Amino acid sequence: MTDTFEAKKRILREQAEARLAHSVSKVENLSLEEIKTLFHEYQVHQIELELQNEELRDTQKQYEIARDRFARLFNDAPVGYLTIDQSGIIAQTNQTFAEMVERDSHLLGGKALVDFIATADRSAFLGRFKAFFKSPEGKQLSFTLQGSHRRVRCVGKIENQRQEPAQKRRLLLVLSDITDQARAEKALLERERFLTSILETTQDGFWVIDADGLLTDVNDAYCRMTGYTKEELEGLNISDLDAVEDDAMTGERIARIVENGSELFETRHRRKDGSVFDVEISVSFLSQHGGMFVCFCRDISGRKSAELACRENEMRYRLLSDLTMEGIVIHKMGVAVDLNASLARLLGYEPHEILGRNMLELIVHERDRHIVRENVVKDYARPYVVRFVKKNGEVIFVELEARNFEINGETMRVASVRDITERKKSEEEIARVNAELRNALAEKDRFFSIIAHDLKSPISGFLSLTKILVEDFEGLTMKEVNISLNALYKSSVRVFALLENLLEWAKLQQGMLTCSRSPFLLQELIKSSIDFKHSIAEQKEITLLYDVPDGLIADIDPPMIGTVLRNLLSNALKFSNRGGQVLITATQSADTITVAVRDDGVGMDQATLSKLFSLDNKITRLGTEDEASTGLGLILCKEFVEKHGGRIWAESSPGQGATFYFTLPVGDRNGGTSTC
């Protein structure tokens, strides 16, 4: 390119010098002014020439840039470029074509194009090449390249058609890679065949309607549905087939489908014989070919009949389930699917608050959930009882009975729910009364056993002593008479104490012993109890003490608590050694008073402690000086303390004395009287 530019400059200079030789006079003939003018013109022309040269250099630079850009575009083009002569020999190619054939571009010159075409396409290419080379306008060739297996389509144009003779002409070919397009076209063709086979084998009817509402295509399935042939259907208007909609309704539907693109609806179609049948129509609007509607039609007469029968069955089921008093629920894996009104009323929920919820977590009491889990795995669960929790938190007893059933291939479970809360309460009440009766009978038996045992010994003594006194009175000394009378006295005291306790016990068991609580100074009651036992304490030289705060008021029935104190004092005195000490204390903590009766006597072991307040384990230990025991005193104490809402217990160890504690409610000085 540079050599051409320099040659043009040389020719231009030669032409300028020749013109100067003819047009300019000799310098010797010019005046000084003419020479100055000539020199000025020379300088101006020199500057103009320099400007022209600068412009030429810029033009050359732009030319080189354009040349390089063209070379890059040529080589990097997304299509292959190559020039071939009329023999099919490659003169020049771009890099894209070289990549298509997987060769270096500088090695392609002089090669025959047919060598790079797949063997299967060579004969077709050679058969069309000459005609294509001669007149390529509007023609194209397609073939597969060797090696890469790319499918290409090429178009061509003759280069320098006017300047070159026919034998030197070259053809510029443009090759486009259509591999993906060919695959897509093949897939599309296969898809069309596949869809055609579906339309011909499907049980659903298929038809195409043009913009005027006329059927243009229809499949065999719709022909079988209606009894028409394809020829009879093609050209009919959709209004000729629809047995429900009039022209106005059909027009509105068509406009709606055009706007939304598609629609699914149900209607009824008319057969050739005039009968009608239910159909479900799916329509899509396509804008091709001036607009058309593609429709699928399904005969749903059987489904409609089944739905009607199902609705009737459901109505009957709903009436039966709503009228029954039992709750009924259908669930799947514990999740409620349906339920009747009775169950909703029973639980206090609205139906929608239960549907879709896990029944186990929602209404079954947490302590009974394991029972439900054990039964829900059974195909049939016989009636069993659990607790339900209502919406308001109330706990009720219900009886469940459930079995599995299958619908549409799914296993469901139906359960009936019976509220047995009242029955359960009655059963519990009966069980409680029976337990009380059994306990009462057992206590009665123990009561009679105690009477028989405790009365037998003193009465036997009475009989023996009185027999001796009657039969041998004259032979007895005064001392022996005194001993016998003293024994009779002790037996009578024991019998009296026993009868007194038995009387209190009998009154308590028969409900004849009333308990009337009122505020009472505890110190006074304790002092009176000590005074009552003072003579017995003096006989054994035992000191009785008390430590009770002044003004401590208890809410008690004084006679009952007096009996408790006297019995505990009797026990303390009985098991204290001569010269011992008994102390009564009382302390208040919040609304409770704790009374303690402490002795320093013989004490007792843990086995004896555990049996003190039980009628089943009657303990009749003799005192330190052989004092007898009725065995009922501590039982009465327990009953009387518990009637006051308190409790009683003992602490002791052998040889360390014993302390009996019991609690009482604190009283209000201004309080009134109340029953226990």
Side-chain angles (χ1 to χ4, degrees), residues 26-41:
K26 295 181 178 180
V27 178
E28 294 84 355
N29 300 328
L30 297 177
S31 63
L32 182 59
E33 291 296 327
E34 289 176 336
I35 291 174
K36 289 181 178 179
T37 302
L38 182 61
F39 185 74
H40 175 74
E41 290 293 329

Side-chain angles (χ1 to χ4, degrees), residues 225-237:
M225 285 183 192
T226 59
Y228 288 99
T229 64
K230 285 187 178 182
E231 293 74 17
E232 291 172 332
L233 286 171
E234 291 176 358
L236 288 181
N237 194 291

